[in-house]
Amino acid sequence: EAAVTQSPRSKVAVTGGKVTLSCHQTNNHDYMYWYRQDTGHGLRLIHYSYVADSTEKGDIPDGYKASRPSQENFSLILELASLSQTAVYFCASSPGQSNTEVFFGKGTRLTVV
Amino acid sequence: GDSVTQTEGLVTLTEGLPVMLNCTYQSTYSPFLFWYVQHLNEAPKLLLKSFTDNKRPEHQGFHATLHKSSSSFHLQKSSAQLSDSALYYCACSGGSNAKLTFGKGTKLSVKS
């Protein structure tokens, strides 16, 4: 079965601090994504990547950076965490065609205090 | 870009009654439509996706019909079960970059 693993599963960060969320997939998928989930906003795309060493901006990239050092790994970086970035973050992967399933990790609950 | 509008907020049903969650979309492409379901403290997972040949997808008693004329992909089930209580997302994917655009989600609560 497709597997997307996120770490950590939860984190408390201080305002202004740096946060790195990690994601690892064993699906051999080209595409990887970072989504943010907030009540009332649903799932919104932050960054995505379709090849190692390259990332693309999604719909809400401000305040976030991404890194794809290999096909399997995709990180989301908050250089200066803010209260408004408190949310649940989901990593996902897919083969890349528009009609194919996207597989999600179990999410990381980030609380910025 | 693409956008998806769903029945917003909370839908509360009694077990055994029919379910209908609305979804409409806007896209510059002829997109694929999806329904994802997320149970409490779990990851979203695929429930249904549209077909290119106008077949009606069905899974776990749920079905949805893509109507291109009205840009809709409503989710239906004839009889709700307690285990259907979850957060449901409609999503569309078009173009060449395989980006999924999600609606805001509909929380379905089924009570006995």
Side-chain angles (χ1 to χ4, degrees), chain A residues 31 33 35 37 40-43 45 48 57-59 90 94 96-102 104-106 109, chain B residues 32 34 36 38 41-46 49 87 89 93-105:
Chain A
Y31 279 72
Y33 313 84
Y35 283 91
Q37 183 178 46
H41 290 281
L43 289 161
L45 182 64
Y48 67 101
K57 292 181 179 179
D59 299 320
F90 285 96
S94 85
Q97 290 80 40
S98 294
N99 64 340
T100 56
E101 181 177 356
V102 172
F104 286 85
K106 294 186 175 182
R109 184 173 297 276
Chain B
F32 290 93
F34 303 81
Y36 279 77
Q38 184 182 17
N41 296 324
E42 294 186 6
K45 59 183 180 182
L46 180 66
K49 70 176 182 180
L87 183 56
Y89 285 107
S93 177
S96 60
N97 58 19
K99 285 170 51 179
L100 267 183
T101 298
F102 287 86
K104 294 183 178 181

Side-chain angles (χ1 to χ4, degrees), chain A residues 34-87:
Chain A
W34 278 105
Y35 283 91
R36 168 178 174 155
Q37 183 178 46
D38 301 272
T39 303
H41 290 281
L43 289 161
R44 293 180 290 174
L45 182 64
I46 306 170
H47 287 288
Y48 67 101
S49 168
Y50 54 84
V51 67
D53 296 322
S54 178
T55 63
E56 305 292 332
K57 292 181 179 179
D59 299 320
I60 54 163
D62 293 346
Y64 302 94
K65 291 170 56 177
S67 173
R68 182 95 181 266
S70 64
Q71 187 195 38
E72 298 82 14
N73 296 293
F74 192 38
S75 297
L76 184 68
I77 302 141
L78 291 65
E79 295 278 7
L80 294 169
S82 66
L83 296 174
S84 63
Q85 293 177 313
T86 293

